[in-house]
Amino acid sequence: VMEGWGAQQDGVAVGVRGTGSRVWPASLELARFLEEHKEFVAGKRVLELGAGIGALPSLVAARAGAKTVLASEGEPTLIPFLRNNVACNSKEGACAVEVLQLKWGVAEDEQTLLSADVIMGADVVFGGRG
């Protein structure tokens, strides 16, 4: 339970809808990859697209020595969960993970993409079920 932020059941934020309300297996795999291959992010400016509530790859990138890390999410209702998760799981000595709302297709937000050396995302597209 994240006091003041809502509850989680089976890894899904209760009361929050959408694909960003859980940490998906691809996010775990991307985090494992970054842990094993720190050279992909070490010393670089990293942007995670569609971080949802978790930002696990962003947190691992920060611990792997990234210069800066931005965890972005387009769904505004997920931003408080994302900020709380980043605050609770950031490691002292690693760069800070900044959280921002970023909407695809918005020109001002797309400028953020130009500042990144590495753009990463796990399960950022969803075609529905069935």
Side-chain angles (χ1 to χ4, degrees):
V1 175
M2 297 185 300
E3 191 173 320
W5 295 97
Q8 288 190 10
Q9 180 178 13
D10 298 324
V12 179
V14 175
V16 177
R17 296 181 158 219
T19 57
S21 65
R22 68 177 309 138
V23 177
W24 292 92
S27 183
L28 299 172
E29 291 303 317
L30 179 55
R32 282 188 193 110
F33 176 84
L34 294 172
E35 181 62 32
E36 293 172 8
H37 301 281
K38 294 175 176 68
E39 69 275 11
F40 280 93
V41 294
K44 297 179 181 163
R45 296 169 297 185
V46 178
L47 169 63
E48 181 180 3
L49 298 176
I53 62 168
L56 181 60
S58 290
L59 291 162
V60 172
R63 291 178 183 202
K67 182 178 181 179
T68 63
V69 179
L70 298 174
S72 71
E73 174 54 47
E75 176 53 52
T77 61
L78 299 180
I79 297 296
F81 288 93
L82 180 56
R83 281 199 175 108
N84 187 61
N85 196 29
V86 166
C88 289
N89 292 289
S90 292
K91 182 180 178 184
E92 190 173 323
C95 75
V97 175
E98 183 182 342
V99 173
L100 72 149
Q101 183 181 355
L102 184 121
K103 278 287 214 189
W104 298 0
V106 175
E108 299 82 33
D109 288 351
E110 288 181 0
Q111 290 299 315
T112 303
L113 300 173
L114 300 175
S115 68
D117 300 314
V118 175
I119 300 172
M120 61 182 183
D123 278 336
V124 294
V125 293
F126 181 69
R129 300 190 194 277

